[in-house]
Amino acid sequence: MTDLASYLSSGRGILGIELGSTRIKAVLIGPDHAPIASGGYTWENRLENGVWTYHLEDAWTGIQAAYAQMAAQAKEKYGVALRRLRAIGISGMMHGYLPFDKKGNQLAPFRTWRNTMTGKAAEELTGLLSFNIPQRWSIAHLYQAVLSGEAHVEKISHLTTLAGFVHWQLTGEQVLGVGEASGMFPIDSQTGQYDKEKLEKMNAAFEKKGCPWKLEEILPRVEMAGGNGGQLTEKGARLLDPSGMLEAGALAAPPEGDAGTGMVATNSVRIRTGNVSAGTSIFAMVVLEKPLSRVYPEIDMVTTPTGQPVAMVHCNNCTSDLNAWAGIFKGFAAACGKEISEGEIYHALFTSAMAGEKDCGGLVNINYLSGEHVTGFEEGRPMTVRLPDARATFPNFARALVSSALVSLKIGMGILEKEQVKIDSLLGHGGFFKTPGTAQNLLAAALKAPVALMETAGEGGPWGMALLAAYRANREEGESLEAYLEKRVFAWTKRTVVAPDHKDALGMDTYTERFQKTLAAERAAVEYMK
């Protein structure tokens, strides 16, 4: 405690902040890179005028609340009021659309990764660039706005992501880490910059549409991990800490997306490593040793924070439907006069799932709160279906709920299996894995691959962002991110590995087959249930 008090009072603390889909979290790490204080704030996206969005003032409310809670915890534990930080890093949910004019005015509501209104743009750009452009990518949103003739387009001076916006306000720097930038526009892994050939094609297309700018003029500059992200300004310090306690001057890491921080938090930045992040959405990242044989609309090609090519299978829907059912069970318990916590509800759900039949006993749950591009849906209608002779028990229902959070990822990952992509290790992280055993076992069964969890798995993205900030501040000349993580962070980290159970895997195959057949009913629900 004395050492940590000295560490913090001398201004050596390092902070990572991540703006996730449902949680804004701040994590402060110590000299051994372990978390020593944290704070959080819960927020939710809104569906306004058909657009999934967050209000940026809510982001600042959440950031300030998370920082204040973290600082209060540090003061309580170590008796130190935080005045200085050595380094900071900002991360956020990837992709989306945040355009600003030359005065810094926001030109359109923030359009998040969850939106699926850019189908025409994504299809045209995929053909134009010979590169899969998913609907949620920033370039797809921009091109769709151009195709739709939105009046604000000609006023755009700067286009960024949520992490890029927050970093810009804290530092004055319009910059992105290469991993986050790779979700805006394709990256050339040889240079670590936006692909020049593809930029030229896009500029020609925008010029034909009468756009008064070139794409490279409005995109943030790109930096590798460890690169120059600027410093916390006085304005930024007040935005983080309105109390006036925090001083300016902390080094800032280039802001990254939640995919990149997930790779760092699981030490999955080397070739043939991978990770699965599971929360509101679920995605798998695999660092490739060779390119895929062709373009797949289900597979995004992004990069690690060091620019290595990564195959990403992203699914919009993971825990949202599960969370809704947890709320129903809490209400049922209250109606019975029982007060139970959310933690108890999730523990009961996840542990009961492992007692369910391997194929969920004839129950199928479709968890599509929103569209799901892996299976071709632009909208979702959560629904539960069962065969007449299904064994409608609570364990079977619980297993169907948990399995439905994984099955779309399983469908997408089947493409990498056919491509014979080699994976030496696959690590899970995010809130979905907090209950020991269940999610890890079912994910291993779904992907037919060993799945590891580290003892730090629950820390997730904000801790990964803090590690990137530490790398920015502490790396030695020529020290790679891979070496820094391997030698300085994870050398003594314990992890548990679960191999796929053959019977669980067969059960998941059967469940997936039923799930895919039930999608016909899902399509009917989308069409007729308005």
Side-chain angles (χ1 to χ4, degrees):
M1 290 295 182
T2 302
D3 289 344
L4 287 175
S6 174
Y7 170 81
L8 293 177
S9 62
S10 62
R12 289 179 286 162
I14 293 176
L15 177 67
I17 295 177
E18 183 157 283
L19 294 92
S21 302
T22 59
R23 188 94 170 144
I24 298 173
K25 191 172 181 181
V27 170
L28 186 70
I29 63 173
D32 63 351
H33 300 90
I36 57 175
S38 64
Y41 178 84
T42 299
W43 71 335
E44 276 290 348
N45 54 189
R46 315 169 185 220
L47 185 61
E48 295 180 346
N49 300 316
V51 175
W52 289 104
T53 188
Y54 297 83
H55 293 184
L56 295 185
E57 57 265 30
D58 293 340
W60 290 117
T61 298
I63 289 168
Q64 291 167 3
Y67 179 89
Q69 191 178 96
M70 176 277 300
Q73 193 178 101
K75 178 75 180 295
E76 180 183 350
K77 283 184 173 182
Y78 314 111
V80 176
L82 286 179
R83 295 184 180 276
R84 286 180 292 149
L85 293 169
R86 169 68 172 146
I88 62 168
I90 303 297
S91 174
M93 61 192 92
M94 287 181 72
H95 319 297
Y97 185 69
L98 267 173
F100 297 87
D101 66 16
K102 61 184 178 182
K103 293 183 178 179
N105 298 311
Q106 186 179 354
L107 295 174
F110 174 36
R111 300 169 188 176
T112 77
W113 56 269
R114 189 165 223 165
N115 290 286
T116 52
M117 79 273 278
T118 61
K120 180 175 175 57
E123 182 179 357
E124 286 192 20
L125 293 180
T126 297
L128 174 67
L129 303 178
S130 300
F131 189 96
N132 181 38
I133 302 295
Q135 288 200 45
R136 65 187 176 280
W137 278 30
S138 305
I139 187 61
H141 280 282
L142 175 61
Y143 195 60
Q144 187 65 55
V146 171
L147 293 178
S148 302
E150 295 191 40
H152 75 267
V153 167
E154 65 179 21
K155 302 176 185 175
I156 296 175
S157 175
H158 179 55
L159 179 66
T160 191
T161 64
L162 183 59
F165 165 74
V166 173
H167 183 94
W168 173 30
Q169 299 305 300
L170 296 181
T171 68
E173 298 284 340
Q174 295 180 349
V175 60
L176 288 182
V178 64
E180 174 77 332
S182 70
M184 291 194 81
F185 191 80
I187 293 290
D188 180 350
S189 287
Q190 298 299 314
T191 65
Q193 299 295 313
Y194 300 119
D195 188 300
K196 285 187 177 181
E197 182 182 343
K198 292 177 174 56
L199 277 176
E200 290 174 1
K201 289 181 178 180
M202 279 308 318
N203 283 330
F206 284 131
E207 186 177 3
K208 287 181 181 178
K209 301 292 184 183
C211 297
W213 35 254
K214 291 188 181 296
L215 190 55
E216 61 268 25
E217 295 171 351
I218 66 173
L219 290 178
R221 82 170 195 273
V222 181
E223 290 280 350
M224 296 282 198
N228 180 17
Q231 293 183 320
L232 181 67
T233 63
E234 186 62 37
K235 172 193 171 186
R238 295 293 67 77
L239 281 170
L240 266 185
D241 180 18
S243 75
M245 185 78 69
L246 182 64
E247 299 175 5
L251 295 173
E256 268 296 348
D258 49 3
T261 57
M263 284 186 269
V264 172
T266 55
N267 196 21
S268 302
V269 293
R270 291 186 183 277
I271 290 171
R272 291 177 59 158
T273 62
N275 76 91
V276 174
S277 173
T280 303
S281 64
I282 184 169
F283 54 83
M285 315 282 293
V286 179
V287 186
L288 301 179
E289 57 183 337
K290 62 179 182 179
L292 300 180
S293 65
R294 64 180 181 87
V295 174
Y296 291 95
E298 302 89 348
I299 306 291
D300 303 359
M301 292 304 301
V302 292
T303 78
T304 69
T306 57
Q308 292 293 326
V310 173
M312 178 181 187
V313 179
H314 183 283
C315 302
N316 288 345
N317 300 278
C318 185
T319 62
S320 293
D321 188 48
L322 185 65
N323 295 341
W325 279 104
I328 290 173
F329 296 141
K330 186 174 179 66
F332 173 74
C336 294
K338 307 292 183 182
E339 189 65 35
I340 56 177
S341 69
E342 286 187 358
E344 290 173 311
I345 291 170
Y346 285 111
H347 181 78
L349 270 170
F350 277 79
T351 53
S352 296
M354 292 312 292
E357 295 176 58
K358 305 296 186 184
D359 65 348
C360 305
L363 280 70
V364 174
N365 184 70
I366 296 179
N367 65 331
Y368 290 0
L369 189 70
S370 61
E372 191 58 77
H373 77 283
V374 166
T375 49
F377 282 83
E378 293 189 4
E379 296 181 54
R381 299 292 185 273
M383 61 189 296
T384 300
V385 179
R386 59 190 173 98
L387 295 167
D389 61 347
R391 277 75 66 195
T393 65
F394 180 69
N396 282 343
F397 182 55
R399 194 176 182 102
L401 289 179
V402 178
S403 296
S404 72
L406 300 172
V407 70
S408 294
L409 180 70
K410 172 179 170 62
I411 293 167
M413 287 291 283
I415 295 170
L416 297 186
E417 184 180 358
K418 291 176 183 176
E419 281 274 342
Q420 298 182 330
V421 170
K422 299 290 191 298
I423 305 174
D424 292 336
S425 62
L426 191 64
L427 290 105
H429 65 105
F432 190 61
F433 295 101
K434 283 190 174 180
T435 302
T438 304
Q440 185 180 9
N441 280 274
L442 291 182
L443 180 61
L447 303 185
K448 296 185 175 69
V451 173
L453 290 185
M454 292 184 180
E455 57 187 9
T456 52
E459 302 298 340
W463 182 59
M465 193 64 236
L467 296 181
L468 285 170
Y471 178 63
R472 159 89 163 100
N474 300 330
R475 72 186 180 111
E476 297 176 356
E477 185 70 28
E479 185 177 22
S480 69
L481 177 63
E482 292 86 348
Y484 186 94
L485 295 176
E486 194 69 41
K487 295 177 182 178
R488 300 208 206 182
V489 181
F490 293 101
W492 301 278
T493 301
K494 295 179 181 177
R495 66 182 194 172
T496 58
V497 181
V498 169
D501 177 86
H502 179 65
K503 292 182 179 179
D504 282 342
L506 289 177
M508 184 63 82
D509 285 345
T510 300
Y511 180 80
T512 301
E513 185 179 347
R514 284 182 183 148
F515 183 96
Q516 290 177 293
K517 290 178 178 178
T518 307
L519 290 178
E522 174 74 1
R523 294 192 189 282
V526 170
E527 182 177 356
Y528 295 108
M529 189 177 179
K530 303 293 185 183

